[in-house]
Amino acid sequence: MKGLEIEIGNLVEAVVKAAIAANQTQNLEDALTIRDQLNRLPDSLKTDVLNGVILNLVKIDPILCRWFILDIFLRDADPEGKADVAERINMLIADLLMANG
């Protein structure tokens, strides 16, 4: 099981770096390619990777997190699903602020 955790950690790190790079260049094509590659993962692995990406991006840059998750990854999702994820991101940001404040 430890090997899988390391692989997930590596995937999370790679996605975070790629999302940061895509945001810095404002290259929508790159961001959509990242999304498409994530969607190729098995659902359970994709969920674990996305959870890790959200946690890491919220700590690095909450606005970047919202952009990548809501505007890119959930680009074609239904509004209710996007609202649920947005609320989760807001809660993580609030928790982070309380822990640091």
Side-chain angles (χ1 to χ4, degrees), residues 7-91:
E7 282 187 36
I8 291 172
N10 290 342
L11 279 171
V12 168
E13 184 179 334
V15 173
V16 167
K17 287 180 180 179
I20 290 170
N23 182 259
Q24 288 173 341
T25 62
Q26 289 296 299
N27 190 327
L28 183 61
E29 292 284 323
D30 287 349
L32 293 174
T33 299
I34 298 164
R35 176 200 64 182
D36 294 345
Q37 292 300 315
L38 283 169
N39 279 323
R40 297 175 89 183
L41 296 172
D43 285 342
S44 62
L45 183 57
K46 179 171 48 176
T47 299
D48 289 343
V49 170
L50 282 173
N51 285 334
V53 168
I54 290 169
L55 289 172
N56 281 287
L57 286 179
V58 161
K59 292 176 187 173
I60 295 169
D61 182 345
I63 294 171
L64 169 60
C65 181
R66 289 177 207 262
W67 172 76
F68 182 71
I69 298 300
L70 300 175
D71 297 342
I72 301 301
F73 190 77
L74 295 176
R75 182 182 190 100
D76 301 322
D78 68 274
E80 272 186 40
K82 283 175 101 167
D84 289 346
V85 174
E87 182 59 30
R88 179 169 173 236
I89 291 171
N90 288 339
M91 290 172 45

